[in-house]
Amino acid sequence: MKLIFEQGGAGHCLSLLPECDVPVVRPSKVRAEKAPLPQVSETELVRHYRTLSKQVYGVNDGVYPLGSCTMKYNPKINEDMAALPGFTDVHPLQPDHTVQGCLGVLKEAETALCSITGMDRMTMQPAAGAHGEFTGLLLIKAYHRSRGDAARTKIIVPDSAHGTNPASAAMAGFTVVNIPSGPDGCVDVEALRKAVGPDTAGLMLTNPNTVGIFDKNILEITEIVHAAGGQCYYDGANLNAVMGVVRPGDMGFDVIHLNLHKTFSTPHGGGGPGSGPVGCKAHLAQFLPGPVVEAAGDGSLSLVQPEQSIGRVRTFQGNFLVAVRALCYLKTLGREGIPDASKHAVLNANYLMHLMKADYDMAYDVTCMHEFVMDLGHMKHETGVSAMDIAKGLLDLGIHPPTMYFPLIVHEALMVEPTETESKETLEEVAAIFHQLAVTAHTDPEALHNAPSKTPVSRLDEVAAARHPILRWS
Ligand SMILES: *Cc1c(COP(=O)(O)O)cnc(C)c1O
């Protein structure tokens, strides 16, 4: 398609008004020269954006089973609330007494999310999951330092972890120690026992883990780390399987981050804004990034710096409107709706896994949580069709592919997360499309090697797209 700069020209215009016939008074801050924008007519402009909108695929177009990303439908009421002028028109430097409502949103969201996670305090500052991990690790660092314990320099991360975990630990100045998973996809407890010691700062773990399995040894795992003097960090980016059902705080975790843009209803995938609040147990609260919202005896709210705060991790109170959406989501679902959403996410994943089993091998053939991992190694060996080919074939059939080649411990991995917002009928349609592709893999593998053929672009050079992106028109 043509860019807007390649369209229009002199005489194409949007203006319905006649030439101005009175002197124009230009405010001092207005730019001296006109911006170099193309002259286009209203028709050209509307068609341009309409065409652009058709180049992409989002949750509003259809099912988007991207494992570990929780691409669920986000109720529009949350958008309406986040667009209220009372929230959008405040200035972040207004005095506390003039923004009691906004501080109330932050406090209520903190309280609700603390009760869901089993934490005591929370900061809403971090702008995304990885940012939350970094923040949480700095809390762990500050905790050990405050006790004069400088020897704890290592963070233990299982090999099934999300890639951001070791990256965040390294960024926070720790050495990363990898431990293997057992054949059941869970942490190898004996390997963990050998890995901990006086140099252990902590463990980073997600449960259910990235293969969609709830680690049955979780209490033993956190106990081993605590006994060695370490802290336990819970990657709560994907809380969708457990919210309101089981609390990371009760599993023995000291710090957690959440991805409000995954689990708590902010559309994502287009690059932001996100929110990665970090919660902690009381013994870490004094280190939280400041300021945090505190309530006085009379109920009035103010922003207060925690005693030994690690400092700010983002301007003001983070992406505030994402917190508004999360609070609206929490309030509309309520105490019954929140665990219900998780139970349906788990039910949907298990139903879809069951429907797909006839055609695809499962990496771990057990009851899964909110997502499951298929292993296409066997299919590739038999037909030459890889996980990548199936993913590309899905694009031609109108659904977004699952996550590919992750987690790394499964080689031809496709990781499927249907979420609770898909109906039984949709899940059955998805299974039928996967079945069709499995048949094609055996009858016409070449067609899948060449897929997709119906999308605006075919296979991209993904490395070049990541390393040398062309982001500007020239
Ligand atoms: C998405 C995700 C993250 C990172 O979150 P971002 O907001 O993309 O930084 C971390 N851990 C897990 C398990 C995730 O799924």
Side-chain angles (χ1 to χ4, degrees), residues 448-471:
L448 289 175
H449 295 324
N450 296 324
S453 57
K454 296 183 189 154
T455 47
V457 289
S458 187
R459 295 208 189 189
L460 298 172
D461 179 344
E462 291 177 359
V463 175
R467 296 288 181 269
H468 308 288
I470 302 169
L471 303 174

PDB file of all heavy atoms in Angstrom, residues 448-471:
ATOM      1  N   LEU A 448       2.667 -25.685   2.781  1.00  0.00           N
ATOM      2  CA  LEU A 448       2.918 -25.058   4.083  1.00  0.00           C
ATOM      3  C   LEU A 448       4.302 -24.407   4.139  1.00  0.00           C
ATOM      4  O   LEU A 448       4.483 -23.393   4.801  1.00  0.00           O
ATOM      5  CB  LEU A 448       2.742 -26.069   5.210  1.00  0.00           C
ATOM      6  CG  LEU A 448       1.283 -26.487   5.450  1.00  0.00           C
ATOM      7  CD1 LEU A 448       1.198 -27.585   6.500  1.00  0.00           C
ATOM      8  CD2 LEU A 448       0.440 -25.290   5.894  1.00  0.00           C
ATOM      9  N   HIS A 449       5.265 -24.972   3.410  1.00  0.00           N
ATOM     10  CA  HIS A 449       6.595 -24.324   3.373  1.00  0.00           C
ATOM     11  C   HIS A 449       6.479 -22.933   2.748  1.00  0.00           C
ATOM     12  O   HIS A 449       7.274 -22.051   3.035  1.00  0.00           O
ATOM     13  CB  HIS A 449       7.590 -25.141   2.548  1.00  0.00           C
ATOM     14  CG  HIS A 449       7.897 -26.491   3.134  1.00  0.00           C
ATOM     15  ND1 HIS A 449       7.981 -26.708   4.494  1.00  0.00           N
ATOM     16  CD2 HIS A 449       8.139 -27.696   2.547  1.00  0.00           C
ATOM     17  CE1 HIS A 449       8.259 -27.990   4.715  1.00  0.00           C
ATOM     18  NE2 HIS A 449       8.352 -28.616   3.548  1.00  0.00           N
ATOM     19  N   ASN A 450       5.476 -22.762   1.850  1.00  0.00           N
ATOM     20  CA  ASN A 450       5.344 -21.486   1.143  1.00  0.00           C
ATOM     21  C   ASN A 450       4.333 -20.528   1.776  1.00  0.00           C
ATOM     22  O   ASN A 450       4.149 -19.426   1.280  1.00  0.00           O
ATOM     23  CB  ASN A 450       4.958 -21.738  -0.317  1.00  0.00           C
ATOM     24  CG  ASN A 450       6.048 -22.481  -1.061  1.00  0.00           C
ATOM     25  OD1 ASN A 450       7.229 -22.248  -0.805  1.00  0.00           O
ATOM     26  ND2 ASN A 450       5.676 -23.399  -1.933  1.00  0.00           N
ATOM     27  N   ALA A 451       3.664 -20.986   2.836  1.00  0.00           N
ATOM     28  CA  ALA A 451       2.671 -20.121   3.486  1.00  0.00           C
ATOM     29  C   ALA A 451       3.395 -19.004   4.240  1.00  0.00           C
ATOM     30  O   ALA A 451       4.549 -19.180   4.627  1.00  0.00           O
ATOM     31  CB  ALA A 451       1.832 -20.955   4.451  1.00  0.00           C
ATOM     32  N   PRO A 452       2.744 -17.860   4.450  1.00  0.00           N
ATOM     33  CA  PRO A 452       1.392 -17.509   4.040  1.00  0.00           C
ATOM     34  C   PRO A 452       1.370 -16.880   2.644  1.00  0.00           C
ATOM     35  O   PRO A 452       2.340 -16.258   2.232  1.00  0.00           O
ATOM     36  CB  PRO A 452       1.005 -16.471   5.092  1.00  0.00           C
ATOM     37  CG  PRO A 452       2.295 -15.774   5.434  1.00  0.00           C
ATOM     38  CD  PRO A 452       3.357 -16.824   5.296  1.00  0.00           C
ATOM     39  N   SER A 453       0.241 -17.042   1.979  1.00  0.00           N
ATOM     40  CA  SER A 453       0.124 -16.430   0.655  1.00  0.00           C
ATOM     41  C   SER A 453      -0.973 -15.370   0.607  1.00  0.00           C
ATOM     42  O   SER A 453      -1.084 -14.644  -0.366  1.00  0.00           O
ATOM     43  CB  SER A 453      -0.158 -17.523  -0.379  1.00  0.00           C
ATOM     44  OG  SER A 453      -1.332 -18.223  -0.012  1.00  0.00           O
ATOM     45  N   LYS A 454      -1.780 -15.277   1.692  1.00  0.00           N
ATOM     46  CA  LYS A 454      -2.901 -14.324   1.636  1.00  0.00           C
ATOM     47  C   LYS A 454      -2.672 -13.072   2.489  1.00  0.00           C
ATOM     48  O   LYS A 454      -3.551 -12.235   2.600  1.00  0.00           O
ATOM     49  CB  LYS A 454      -4.178 -15.020   2.123  1.00  0.00           C
ATOM     50  CG  LYS A 454      -4.608 -16.166   1.215  1.00  0.00           C
ATOM     51  CD  LYS A 454      -5.919 -16.760   1.709  1.00  0.00           C
ATOM     52  CE  LYS A 454      -6.266 -18.026   0.958  1.00  0.00           C
ATOM     53  NZ  LYS A 454      -7.110 -18.918   1.771  1.00  0.00           N
ATOM     54  N   THR A 455      -1.521 -12.977   3.110  1.00  0.00           N
ATOM     55  CA  THR A 455      -1.256 -11.827   3.982  1.00  0.00           C
ATOM     56  C   THR A 455      -0.574 -10.707   3.194  1.00  0.00           C
ATOM     57  O   THR A 455      -0.038 -10.971   2.106  1.00  0.00           O
ATOM     58  CB  THR A 455      -0.341 -12.277   5.142  1.00  0.00           C
ATOM     59  OG1 THR A 455       0.729 -13.049   4.589  1.00  0.00           O
ATOM     60  CG2 THR A 455      -1.084 -13.126   6.138  1.00  0.00           C
ATOM     61  N   PRO A 456      -0.583  -9.469   3.696  1.00  0.00           N
ATOM     62  CA  PRO A 456       0.046  -8.353   2.959  1.00  0.00           C
ATOM     63  C   PRO A 456       1.504  -8.621   2.615  1.00  0.00           C
ATOM     64  O   PRO A 456       1.988  -8.221   1.568  1.00  0.00           O
ATOM     65  CB  PRO A 456      -0.088  -7.175   3.930  1.00  0.00           C
ATOM     66  CG  PRO A 456      -1.220  -7.530   4.816  1.00  0.00           C
ATOM     67  CD  PRO A 456      -1.228  -9.018   4.938  1.00  0.00           C
ATOM     68  N   VAL A 457       2.223  -9.300   3.505  1.00  0.00           N
ATOM     69  CA  VAL A 457       3.593  -9.716   3.192  1.00  0.00           C
ATOM     70  C   VAL A 457       3.706 -11.191   3.511  1.00  0.00           C
ATOM     71  O   VAL A 457       2.979 -11.713   4.351  1.00  0.00           O
ATOM     72  CB  VAL A 457       4.662  -8.942   4.001  1.00  0.00           C
ATOM     73  CG1 VAL A 457       4.764  -7.507   3.525  1.00  0.00           C
ATOM     74  CG2 VAL A 457       4.370  -8.999   5.487  1.00  0.00           C
ATOM     75  N   SER A 458       4.639 -11.874   2.818  1.00  0.00           N
ATOM     76  CA  SER A 458       4.814 -13.305   3.089  1.00  0.00           C
ATOM     77  C   SER A 458       5.845 -13.485   4.201  1.00  0.00           C
ATOM     78  O   SER A 458       5.849 -12.717   5.145  1.00  0.00           O
ATOM     79  CB  SER A 458       5.201 -14.024   1.806  1.00  0.00           C
ATOM     80  OG  SER A 458       5.205 -15.411   2.036  1.00  0.00           O
ATOM     81  N   ARG A 459       6.749 -14.451   4.093  1.00  0.00           N
ATOM     82  CA  ARG A 459       7.721 -14.638   5.186  1.00  0.00           C
ATOM     83  C   ARG A 459       8.728 -13.506   5.211  1.00  0.00           C
ATOM     84  O   ARG A 459       9.319 -13.159   4.195  1.00  0.00           O
ATOM     85  CB  ARG A 459       8.427 -15.969   5.022  1.00  0.00           C
ATOM     86  CG  ARG A 459       7.460 -17.104   5.190  1.00  0.00           C
ATOM     87  CD  ARG A 459       8.097 -18.352   5.695  1.00  0.00           C
ATOM     88  NE  ARG A 459       7.098 -19.404   5.602  1.00  0.00           N
ATOM     89  CZ  ARG A 459       7.231 -20.611   6.109  1.00  0.00           C
ATOM     90  NH1 ARG A 459       8.331 -20.936   6.746  1.00  0.00           N
ATOM     91  NH2 ARG A 459       6.270 -21.493   5.994  1.00  0.00           N
ATOM     92  N   LEU A 460       8.912 -12.963   6.374  1.00  0.00           N
ATOM     93  CA  LEU A 460       9.850 -11.852   6.525  1.00  0.00           C
ATOM     94  C   LEU A 460      11.217 -12.391   6.892  1.00  0.00           C
ATOM     95  O   LEU A 460      11.328 -13.485   7.434  1.00  0.00           O
ATOM     96  CB  LEU A 460       9.379 -10.941   7.662  1.00  0.00           C
ATOM     97  CG  LEU A 460       8.027 -10.278   7.493  1.00  0.00           C
ATOM     98  CD1 LEU A 460       7.635  -9.588   8.786  1.00  0.00           C
ATOM     99  CD2 LEU A 460       8.088  -9.269   6.358  1.00  0.00           C
ATOM    100  N   ASP A 461      12.222 -11.609   6.629  1.00  0.00           N
ATOM    101  CA  ASP A 461      13.537 -11.896   7.177  1.00  0.00           C
ATOM    102  C   ASP A 461      13.477 -11.375   8.615  1.00  0.00           C
ATOM    103  O   ASP A 461      13.676 -10.193   8.877  1.00  0.00           O
ATOM    104  CB  ASP A 461      14.602 -11.156   6.364  1.00  0.00           C
ATOM    105  CG  ASP A 461      16.003 -11.405   6.909  1.00  0.00           C
ATOM    106  OD1 ASP A 461      16.112 -11.876   8.065  1.00  0.00           O
ATOM    107  OD2 ASP A 461      16.965 -11.132   6.186  1.00  0.00           O
ATOM    108  N   GLU A 462      13.167 -12.272   9.544  1.00  0.00           N
ATOM    109  CA  GLU A 462      12.871 -11.832  10.915  1.00  0.00           C
ATOM    110  C   GLU A 462      14.089 -11.238  11.615  1.00  0.00           C
ATOM    111  O   GLU A 462      13.960 -10.325  12.424  1.00  0.00           O
ATOM    112  CB  GLU A 462      12.276 -12.986  11.722  1.00  0.00           C
ATOM    113  CG  GLU A 462      10.880 -13.319  11.203  1.00  0.00           C
ATOM    114  CD  GLU A 462      10.223 -14.500  11.893  1.00  0.00           C
ATOM    115  OE1 GLU A 462      10.843 -15.103  12.777  1.00  0.00           O
ATOM    116  OE2 GLU A 462       9.082 -14.809  11.513  1.00  0.00           O
ATOM    117  N   VAL A 463      15.267 -11.781  11.299  1.00  0.00           N
ATOM    118  CA  VAL A 463      16.472 -11.247  11.940  1.00  0.00           C
ATOM    119  C   VAL A 463      16.709  -9.815  11.466  1.00  0.00           C
ATOM    120  O   VAL A 463      16.921  -8.903  12.266  1.00  0.00           O
ATOM    121  CB  VAL A 463      17.696 -12.136  11.635  1.00  0.00           C
ATOM    122  CG1 VAL A 463      18.967 -11.506  12.194  1.00  0.00           C
ATOM    123  CG2 VAL A 463      17.485 -13.529  12.229  1.00  0.00           C
ATOM    124  N   ALA A 464      16.600  -9.609  10.146  1.00  0.00           N
ATOM    125  CA  ALA A 464      16.805  -8.253   9.618  1.00  0.00           C
ATOM    126  C   ALA A 464      15.736  -7.309  10.158  1.00  0.00           C
ATOM    127  O   ALA A 464      16.030  -6.156  10.491  1.00  0.00           O
ATOM    128  CB  ALA A 464      16.770  -8.281   8.092  1.00  0.00           C
ATOM    129  N   ALA A 465      14.499  -7.802  10.277  1.00  0.00           N
ATOM    130  CA  ALA A 465      13.417  -6.942  10.772  1.00  0.00           C
ATOM    131  C   ALA A 465      13.679  -6.507  12.209  1.00  0.00           C
ATOM    132  O   ALA A 465      13.331  -5.402  12.611  1.00  0.00           O
ATOM    133  CB  ALA A 465      12.079  -7.682  10.662  1.00  0.00           C
ATOM    134  N   ALA A 466      14.328  -7.403  12.992  1.00  0.00           N
ATOM    135  CA  ALA A 466      14.613  -7.066  14.383  1.00  0.00           C
ATOM    136  C   ALA A 466      15.879  -6.232  14.517  1.00  0.00           C
ATOM    137  O   ALA A 466      15.949  -5.322  15.336  1.00  0.00           O
ATOM    138  CB  ALA A 466      14.726  -8.349  15.213  1.00  0.00           C
ATOM    139  N   ARG A 467      16.884  -6.563  13.695  1.00  0.00           N
ATOM    140  CA  ARG A 467      18.187  -5.895  13.860  1.00  0.00           C
ATOM    141  C   ARG A 467      18.299  -4.592  13.065  1.00  0.00           C
ATOM    142  O   ARG A 467      18.979  -3.668  13.480  1.00  0.00           O
ATOM    143  CB  ARG A 467      19.319  -6.833  13.423  1.00  0.00           C
ATOM    144  CG  ARG A 467      19.463  -8.077  14.266  1.00  0.00           C
ATOM    145  CD  ARG A 467      20.048  -7.774  15.653  1.00  0.00           C
ATOM    146  NE  ARG A 467      20.186  -9.004  16.426  1.00  0.00           N
ATOM    147  CZ  ARG A 467      19.244  -9.481  17.231  1.00  0.00           C
ATOM    148  NH1 ARG A 467      18.109  -8.806  17.403  1.00  0.00           N
ATOM    149  NH2 ARG A 467      19.419 -10.602  17.907  1.00  0.00           N
ATOM    150  N   HIS A 468      17.653  -4.551  11.904  1.00  0.00           N
ATOM    151  CA  HIS A 468      17.752  -3.348  11.066  1.00  0.00           C
ATOM    152  C   HIS A 468      16.357  -2.865  10.667  1.00  0.00           C
ATOM    153  O   HIS A 468      16.041  -2.822   9.473  1.00  0.00           O
ATOM    154  CB  HIS A 468      18.603  -3.631   9.828  1.00  0.00           C
ATOM    155  CG  HIS A 468      19.933  -4.224  10.132  1.00  0.00           C
ATOM    156  ND1 HIS A 468      20.960  -3.500  10.705  1.00  0.00           N
ATOM    157  CD2 HIS A 468      20.404  -5.488   9.999  1.00  0.00           C
ATOM    158  CE1 HIS A 468      22.001  -4.300  10.911  1.00  0.00           C
ATOM    159  NE2 HIS A 468      21.691  -5.504  10.483  1.00  0.00           N
ATOM    160  N   PRO A 469      15.516  -2.546  11.626  1.00  0.00           N
ATOM    161  CA  PRO A 469      14.151  -2.138  11.264  1.00  0.00           C
ATOM    162  C   PRO A 469      14.162  -0.800  10.534  1.00  0.00           C
ATOM    163  O   PRO A 469      14.981   0.077  10.849  1.00  0.00           O
ATOM    164  CB  PRO A 469      13.454  -2.005  12.623  1.00  0.00           C
ATOM    165  CG  PRO A 469      14.557  -1.744  13.589  1.00  0.00           C
ATOM    166  CD  PRO A 469      15.775  -2.427  13.062  1.00  0.00           C
ATOM    167  N   ILE A 470      13.299  -0.679   9.544  1.00  0.00           N
ATOM    168  CA  ILE A 470      13.162   0.609   8.852  1.00  0.00           C
ATOM    169  C   ILE A 470      11.907   1.259   9.405  1.00  0.00           C
ATOM    170  O   ILE A 470      10.803   0.830   9.117  1.00  0.00           O
ATOM    171  CB  ILE A 470      13.045   0.383   7.326  1.00  0.00           C
ATOM    172  CG1 ILE A 470      14.279  -0.381   6.829  1.00  0.00           C
ATOM    173  CG2 ILE A 470      12.903   1.720   6.590  1.00  0.00           C
ATOM    174  CD1 ILE A 470      14.152  -0.898   5.409  1.00  0.00           C
ATOM    175  N   LEU A 471      12.117   2.258  10.229  1.00  0.00           N
ATOM    176  CA  LEU A 471      10.996   2.833  10.956  1.00  0.00           C
ATOM    177  C   LEU A 471      10.568   4.199  10.419  1.00  0.00           C
ATOM    178  O   LEU A 471       9.603   4.771  10.902  1.00  0.00           O
ATOM    179  CB  LEU A 471      11.353   2.955  12.451  1.00  0.00           C
ATOM    180  CG  LEU A 471      11.754   1.630  13.127  1.00  0.00           C
ATOM    181  CD1 LEU A 471      12.234   1.871  14.535  1.00  0.00           C
ATOM    182  CD2 LEU A 471      10.575   0.650  13.130  1.00  0.00           C
TER     183      LEU A 471
END
